[in-house]
Amino acid sequence: MGLVNIKKYNFNIDFFETRLVYPFYSNVLNKSNQQNFLNPNQTISPELCSTIHIIDYINPYFQLSLNDATIPLRSFNFNQSVGFAVNLNNFSNVDEYMKLKMSPKGRTKMRGYLRRLETCFNIRYQMYYGEITLPNYEYLFEKLHSFITHRFEERGDNHEALKHWDTLKNSTYSMILEKKTSLFVIYDGDVPIDICLNYHHQNIMDNAIRSYDINYSKFRLGYIDILKQLEWCFKNGFEIFDMGFGDFEYKRRWSNEVYDFETQILYKNSHFVYKPIAFGLMYFLKSKAFLKEKNVDLMYHKFRSLIKKEGQSDSSESKSLFEVTALETKPKLEKLSEIDLRSDKYDFLKREIYDFQYLNFEHSQNIKVYNLINSPNIFIISGKNKNLQVKLIQL
């Protein structure tokens, strides 16, 4: 007998992205509605039999049935990752859900976030589910990629989805038309500012990939897109809005179910070598999960981030720096030159402009931005009642 092969799988990603069910399972039962998904491929090759399989991220509302009619397979089952979901089953609308989940103060804040966004911009919400043109799809996917890249560059982190982005892009369009996937978009006018990619299975909507234009950071787009998608779920019969793994404050704020993902280690029962190896793998993974629970991984990542920052060159720090001053009155028009904010040349100013709108409840149609003619590094943001001088220090 040769070396024992070990193979890892992410069931959550494989099932939702491609409906892939591994051949050693006969079916997937959705316990939340008792509907079965039969596996069309149950051919177990000799290679699969001589491999120990580690299946991670099995959602608790899925029950996987082993296909052990041909080859006797056994499993070690345990939990090692935490997930978050909104179960809407006992609620009739999003307001009813929010009354249970949030305090009166929290609900007031949420309504304030929404009102401020819709006061400052021409906001509309669009769910692409079952229908989208190919050019629009490609445009939105490119925008989502850009949002993720810029946001994670700012955080000094990496997004897992970017590692298989081309594969994701090639498969998602047809899945939207088949109602297996959707894109939820918040628009400012005709410009996307927040995009979420969701997967759909029966009564489950999996909120898989989400990002937004970081220039709108003050407007809590992440909260608003969840609110609007929950409204959509109620209207379209989806009972579970799954936010998946990753422990973040926004997930704890919105979810009413915190669950454990199951991990299964499958091994061939007909040879004495496989069982102790599978047991050793389980012990190792459980120990790793215990250390993660004690935040050892966070300390490690913080240490890596510090080392990374220390190793960066000075050029990486050359970002836009501003000196911001409130003005009682706007300078005379003959000293100013109005700039076109649609030009990419002035992208570096957008966050300052949107922050100004946020603080002053100013709508975009009332905003004008000028450059001082004799001081090209000084800009004036002018609203109905307020004016702001923005001096560019470094770019």
Side-chain angles (χ1 to χ4, degrees), residues 225-243:
D225 74 40
I226 291 176
L227 174 67
K228 289 299 178 179
Q229 287 177 99
L230 291 181
E231 288 179 356
W232 187 89
C233 285
F234 276 111
K235 290 177 182 176
N236 292 273
F238 287 90
E239 297 173 333
I240 296 174
F241 181 78
D242 191 1
M243 293 183 282

Side-chain angles (χ1 to χ4, degrees), residues 283-312:
Y283 183 80
F284 169 75
L285 292 173
K286 289 179 77 172
S287 300
K288 186 178 175 182
F290 173 79
L291 293 175
K292 185 175 182 179
E293 187 180 332
K294 299 301 179 183
N295 294 324
V296 173
D297 65 318
L298 292 179
M299 291 185 281
Y300 168 71
H301 288 303
K302 283 180 180 178
F303 175 74
R304 281 192 64 189
S305 295
L306 286 172
I307 296 298
K308 185 177 179 180
K309 285 181 181 178
E310 288 177 4
Q312 287 176 339

Side-chain angles (χ1 to χ4, degrees), residues 9-62:
Y9 310 79
N10 186 319
F11 177 80
N12 186 71
I13 290 177
D14 289 340
F15 184 72
F16 278 115
E17 287 191 7
T18 64
R19 293 299 185 275
L20 172 65
V21 182
Y22 318 122
F24 30 83
Y25 294 119
S26 59
N27 65 281
V28 179
L29 173 67
N30 181 354
K31 292 188 286 186
S32 70
N33 63 3
Q34 296 302 308
Q35 290 187 31
N36 252 328
F37 179 86
L38 297 177
N39 186 6
N41 175 28
Q42 298 184 44
T43 303
I44 301 178
S45 66
E47 182 185 356
L48 285 175
C49 299
S50 61
T51 300
I52 292 177
H53 308 277
I54 303 173
I55 298 92
D56 279 330
Y57 299 108
I58 302 172
N59 311 66
Y61 39 78
F62 287 144

Side-chain angles (χ1 to χ4, degrees), residues 138-270:
E138 291 178 340
Y139 169 68
L140 291 173
F141 230 79
E142 183 180 333
K143 276 289 186 182
L144 179 57
H145 185 278
S146 174
F147 292 166
I148 292 171
T149 302
H150 291 148
R151 188 177 174 211
F152 277 75
E153 278 178 356
E154 188 173 73
R155 285 170 49 171
D157 203 354
N158 298 308
H159 196 292
E160 287 296 316
L162 297 183
K163 296 178 181 178
H164 63 289
W165 192 258
D166 289 341
T167 302
L168 197 65
K169 182 181 177 182
N170 291 336
S171 64
T172 303
Y173 176 66
S174 61
M175 292 182 71
I176 292 176
L177 302 182
E178 295 165 2
K179 294 189 174 182
K180 295 177 181 177
T181 307
S182 65
L183 284 176
F184 174 77
V185 185
I186 301 177
Y187 286 94
D188 172 8
D190 293 326
V191 179
I193 61 174
D194 180 292
I195 302 175
C196 299
L197 189 155
N198 305 294
Y199 292 102
H200 302 260
H201 177 69
Q202 297 172 358
N203 63 335
I204 299 164
M205 179 167 159
D206 180 62
N207 191 226
I209 301 172
R210 59 204 301 270
S211 198
Y212 57 86
D213 185 336
I214 56 176
N215 291 316
Y216 294 79
S217 293
K218 277 195 179 295
F219 288 89
R220 310 297 201 283
L221 293 177
Y223 289 161
I224 293 170
D225 74 40
I226 291 176
L227 174 67
K228 289 299 178 179
Q229 287 177 99
L230 291 181
E231 288 179 356
W232 187 89
C233 285
F234 276 111
K235 290 177 182 176
N236 292 273
F238 287 90
E239 297 173 333
I240 296 174
F241 181 78
D242 191 1
M243 293 183 282
F245 52 88
D247 193 344
F248 298 101
E249 185 274 337
Y250 78 89
K251 293 185 181 182
R252 289 195 175 270
R253 175 169 294 199
W254 280 101
S255 64
N256 60 351
E257 289 188 355
V258 180
Y259 60 79
D260 293 316
F261 281 99
E262 184 180 62
T263 294
Q264 294 185 4
I265 300 180
L266 303 183
Y267 61 94
K268 187 178 178 181
N269 194 40
S270 58

